[in-house]
């Protein structure tokens, strides 16, 4: 019963996100057609948008907030329905990653409104992932196997989820940085500097959290599997992601690597996170095969 | 890691060329660029470990890979692609990286320690040129204004200097960033050493113990079914403790998904045994996320399964019971297979013995489907049934080759030395009688558990360093190293002071602005300033 509500809320959230994207797109279109009258050399944040475009953009953001609220409710309902922490299979896991990405994005937007034009590009992968979660990955709400019955599930998987979700934002910002660097969408996107800073700021929060999550995983593995680290495929790819994000941070402090190359590294980092989530869960068998895809 | 190598005093004499080359090699090894390249290499080198089957995880999948790719596999094998994390090239990368890291971080630490003792740098002439700046006139005399600035800069390292008729204050904050960075990188080294120590001095063994009183004592390698040890472990001084599996219960959801595994364990520590308390047992509830920790070792509940109990009554009236474990072939239903082997009793003649050995092999369903073809429909022990072949003849136990406890030697069957003499489905209590009058009865099923015993003296250090690493990381990413300057000059109007402010973030571009703006507001906007 509650599980059905959870599913309905999930679908509603996806619908609202899609609508928010449509409004963002409408804003783009309006701003585009109105472009000739606009003045301003300092990038889109200093360009006066026509009131209509501005209204669309605000509505898009409000809808994103609404979507996040529905999304949260869906996850909570799922947890109550299954009577456990709602991170027990890939459907739940992917859904929560997307929520973390959206919420992380909204928080950044609040702190730095000039990044608003990044919104649709955060929503796009979120909607795609949620679509996959709701279709291919979907699993009934059910209890989890003995190895997962531990408070470490809450600690490890929640932090992994939040950090993976947060890392989506720098991933998107870095892609946009590269897109902009290639000369596309330069009139629509925030300046390179803003994008670069967005990527960096979120990464330095998500990376320590990811580190914590991996350590928590190791502590759990020591209790559940008999060793804290065994180069299981999921552990190995987590290690690879970790090393790549470490390289990103180092690149940001190395002359000649700061901007474009750092952005590439960040994109590569997020690619390995996605790879770990999908490929390793679905193709490579390992101890982490709790995906519920049976 | 250093961005720009500080230039040290060049030696007066021209150094020998070999020395220069060495120093250059060291410099480039410890440069940030090299560290970056090594990080990429490390990430890249680890990937095959996730994509190709690894011997350390699953030998069977490696063998399968050899069958599937007969030309490619040997090539990959030659470069260690199936043992990535033990490969010399993998070790070379991380050892170089660690060296680079130490060579990079230590000199920088000395520089920082020096900087920590130095006074914050003098105020630049033109503060308006700094990325963050501001200015104004405040209603306060020079001393009051200076006191106000100092008061607002609590927690900063501040140096005050006279400058003409006025005064300057230079302040710096965020030294813990460098400390954090150092702690982070050194922790990585510590972590690696702890990891290596665990691999050298640790061991890991598995053993199957029957539930309902089966015992295992950690006295030597031979007691284990499988044993993996570090290079520096010879197995002669394992911590001698004993465990006894008093009971094992598995609970399942109606779908057959396991819900809980619990083993009631009794154990005796090495100290108990030394003190001669060999008949007292401490109890411990062993379960999947709850290993027993004793004598520097950990005991895990890794798996479980069933052992059918067969009683053989030989024609001469002798009775033998066998309850060796069978292995699950289907994890979802615990359908199991195995071979329970019997020697004819009281036979001294070798030839006779070799033709009279018995093996009961086949399938065991803990919850049978019923019908002629026995399969299991549920993993719990509800309604067991076995489908067995009884083989008689020479099991081949004496030919010196080790033999699997789960199956009979197929070569003996092929050569006709082992012949099938019966095939039956039995439920507990039922029996089958052979042509020579031997009766084989299926009495019931006993559970067994698979225990793993691990010892890793390095892991506590790995944990300690992981925690310090995380703390260091948080400090080095969360703390901003920043400078702040104020130049105070007496205004033309008496009792007022002209204040110029400047700020510079030393480490990254993100996020000094807001803090600076608050400082500026507090110092320049009179209504915001609370009088000290
Ligand atoms: C060395 C230890 C561990 C590491 C490095 C590690 C790493 C990771 C990483 C990186 C993820 C997220 C990957 C992704 O994006 O899909 C993850 C997810 C997960 N981990 Fe771990 N983990 C460890 C131990 C454990 C243990 C001991 C358990 C449970 C017994 C566990 C259960 C899970 C679950 C349930 C998920 C999410 C669900 C899923 O991937 O389908 N992990 N882990």
């Amino acid at each position: 019963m509650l599980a059905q509500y959870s599913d309905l809320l999930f679908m509603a959230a996806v619908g609202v996100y899609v609508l928010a994207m449509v409004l963002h797109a409408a804003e783009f279109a309006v701003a585009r057609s109105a472009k000739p009258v606009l003045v301003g050399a300092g990038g889109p944040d200093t360009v006066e948008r026509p009131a209509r475009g501005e209204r669309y953009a605000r509505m898009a953001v409000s809808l994103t907030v609404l979507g996040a609220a529905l999304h949260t409710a869906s996850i909570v309902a799922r947890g109550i329905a299954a009577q456990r922490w709602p991170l027990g299979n890939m459907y739940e896991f992917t859904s929560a990653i997307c929520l973390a990405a959206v919420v992380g994005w909204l928080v950044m937007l609040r702190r730095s409104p000039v990044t608003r034009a990044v919104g649709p590009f955060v929503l796009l992968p979120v909607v795609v992932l949620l679509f996959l979660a709701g279709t291919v990955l979907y699993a009934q709400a059910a209890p989890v196997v003995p190895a997962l019955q531990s408070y470490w599930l809450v600690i490890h998987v929640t932090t992994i989820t939040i950090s993976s979700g947060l890392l989506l934002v720098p991933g998107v910002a870095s892609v946009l940085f590269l897109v902009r660097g290639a000369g596309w969408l330069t009139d629509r996107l925030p300046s390179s500097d803003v994008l670069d800073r967005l990527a960096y700021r979120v990464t330095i929060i998500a990376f320590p959290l990811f580190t914590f999550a991996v350590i928590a995983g190791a502590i759990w593995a020591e209790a559940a599997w008999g060793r804290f680290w065994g180069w299981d495929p999921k552990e190995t790819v987590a290690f690879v992601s970790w090393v790549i994000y470490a390289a990103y941070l180092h690149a940001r402090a190395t002359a000649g690597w700061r901007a474009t190359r750092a952005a590439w590294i960040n994109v590569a980092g997020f690619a390995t996170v996605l790879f770990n989530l999908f490929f390793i869960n679905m193709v490579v068998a390992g101890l982490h095969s709790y995906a519920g895809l049976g | 890691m250093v961005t720009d190598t500080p230039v040290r005093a060049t030696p007066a004499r021209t150094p020998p060329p070999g020395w220069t080359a060495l120093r250059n090699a060291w410099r480039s090894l410890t440069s940030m660029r090299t560290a970056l390249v090594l990080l990429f290499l490390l990430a890249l080198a680890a990937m095959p470990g996730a994509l190709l089957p690894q011997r350390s995880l699953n030998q069977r999948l490696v063998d399968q890979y050899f069958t599937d790719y007969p030309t490619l596999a040997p090539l990959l094998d030659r470069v260690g692609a199936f043992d990535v994390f033990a490969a010399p090239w993998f070790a070379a990368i991380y050892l170089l990286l660690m060296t680079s890291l130490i060579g990079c971080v230590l000199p920088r630490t000395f520089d920082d320690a020096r900087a920590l003792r130095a006074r914050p740098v003098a105020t630049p002439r033109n503060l308006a040129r700094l990325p963050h700046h501001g200015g104004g006139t405040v209603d306060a005399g020079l001393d009051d204004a200076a006191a106000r600035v100092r008061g607002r800069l609590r927690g900063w390292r501040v140096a005050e200097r006279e400058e003409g008729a006025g005064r300057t204050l230079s302040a710096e904050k965020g030294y813990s960033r460098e400390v954090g960075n150092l702690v982070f990188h050194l922790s990585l080294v510590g972590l690696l050493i702890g990891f290596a120590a665990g691999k050298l001095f640790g061991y890991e063994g598995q053993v199957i113990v029957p539930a309902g009183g089966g015992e295992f004592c950690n006295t030597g390698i031979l007691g284990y079914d499988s044993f993996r040890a570090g290079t520096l472990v010879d197995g002669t001084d394992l911590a001698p403790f004993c465990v006894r599996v008093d009971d094992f219960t598995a609970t399942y959801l109606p779908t057959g998904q396991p819900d809980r595994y619990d083993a009631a364990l009794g154990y005796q520590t090495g100290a108990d045994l030394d003190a001669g308390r060999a008949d007292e047992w401490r109890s411990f509830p062993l379960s999947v996320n709850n290993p027993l920790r004793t004598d520097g070792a950990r005991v895990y509940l890794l798996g479980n399964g069933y052992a059918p109990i067969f009683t053989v009554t030989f024609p001469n009236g002798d009775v033998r019971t066998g309850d060796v474990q069978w292995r699950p072939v289907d994890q979802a239903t615990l359908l199991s297979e195995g071979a329970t082997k019997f020697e004819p009793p009281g036979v001294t003649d070798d030839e006779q013995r070799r033709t009279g050995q018995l093996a009961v092999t086949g399938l065991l369903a803990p919850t049978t489907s019923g019908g002629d073809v026995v399969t299991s429909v549920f993993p719990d022990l509800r309604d067991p049934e076995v489908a067995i072949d009884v083989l008689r003849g020479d099991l081949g136990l004496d030919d010196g080759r080790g033999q699997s406890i789960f199956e009979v030697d197929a070569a003996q069957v092929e050569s006709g030395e082992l012949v099938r003499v019966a095939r039956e489905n039995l439920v507990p209590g039922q029996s089958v009688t052979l042509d020579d009058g031997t009766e084989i009865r299926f009495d019931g099923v006993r559970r067994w558990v698979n225990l793993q015993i691990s010892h890793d003296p390095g892991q506590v250090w790995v944990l300690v360093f992981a925690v310090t690493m995380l703390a260091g990381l948080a400090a080095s990413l969360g703390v901003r190293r920043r400078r702040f300057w104020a130049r105070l000059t007496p205004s033309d109007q008496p009792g007022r002071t002209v204040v110029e402010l400047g700020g510079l973030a030393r480490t990254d571009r993100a996020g000094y602005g807001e803090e600076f703006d608050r400082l500026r507001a507090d110092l320049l906007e009179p209504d915001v300033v609370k009088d000290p």
Side-chain angles (χ1 to χ4, degrees), chain A residues 266-280:
Chain A
N266 200 303
V267 173
F270 189 62
T272 59
V273 171
L274 282 184
F275 179 80
N276 209 356
L277 174 57
F278 288 103
F279 192 80
I280 297 293

Side-chain angles (χ1 to χ4, degrees), chain A residues 111 142-150 152 193 196-197 200-201 203-205 207-209 211-212 215 219-234 236-237 239-240 242-244 246-259 261 265 272 275 279-280 284-285, chain B residues 1-3 32-33 35-40 42-44 46-47 49-51 54 56-57 61 85 90 177 184-185 188 195 199 204 253 257-261 287-291 293 298 300-302 452 454 456 458-459 462-463 466-467 469-470 473-474 477-478 507-512 514:
Chain A
R111 300 181 72 192
V144 291
V145 298
L148 294 186
Q149 295 166 13
S150 160
W152 286 106
D193 218 38
D196 177 56
R197 199 150 53 220
Y200 180 70
R201 282 184 147 193
T203 305
I204 62 172
I205 294 166
F207 180 67
L209 191 63
T211 310
F212 172 83
I215 295 173
I219 296 175
W220 187 10
E222 196 268 345
W225 297 335
R227 82 291 182 290
F228 67 89
W229 193 271
W231 298 109
D232 182 66
K234 190 135 231 164
T236 303
V237 179
F239 171 79
V240 170
W242 194 86
V243 169
I244 293 181
Y248 167 77
L249 294 174
H250 282 99
R252 292 267 321 194
T254 307
W257 286 74
R258 260 166 239 228
R261 287 183 186 177
I265 299 172
T272 59
F275 179 80
F279 192 80
I280 297 293
V284 183
Chain B
M1 311 231 151
V2 247
T3 323
M32 193 80 149
R33 220 162 295 251
L36 265 174
V37 171
L38 287 172
L39 277 170
F40 286 129
L42 189 63
L44 205 64
M47 266 330 248
L51 298 180
Q54 297 293 299
S56 58
L57 293 176
L61 288 180
F85 303 105
F90 192 75
R177 179 186 189 101
F184 169 73
H185 284 96
L188 283 180
F195 195 86
K199 288 276 167 279
E204 187 179 287
L253 302 174
Q257 180 183 317
D259 184 39
R260 286 201 61 86
Y261 298 125
S287 64
V288 173
N289 272 294
N290 188 29
R293 294 169 195 275
R298 291 116 52 202
Y300 295 92
L301 179 58
L302 223 54
Q452 174 174 309
S454 309
D456 181 344
Q459 73 170 17
V462 172
L463 180 60
V467 170
M469 172 193 72
L470 186 60
L473 183 66
L477 291 180
T507 25
D508 62 68
R509 289 166 288 168
Y512 178 32
E514 287 153 32

Side-chain angles (χ1 to χ4, degrees), chain B residues 194-209:
Chain B
F195 195 86
K199 288 276 167 279
L200 292 176
F201 296 100
Y203 62 82
E204 187 179 287
Q206 299 190 354
V207 59
I208 285 180
V209 183

Side-chain angles (χ1 to χ4, degrees), chain B residues 273-286:
Chain B
L273 294 169
D274 286 346
R277 291 190 292 267
D279 47 354
E280 289 169 38
W281 293 83
R282 301 159 188 267
S283 67
F284 185 84
L286 187 70

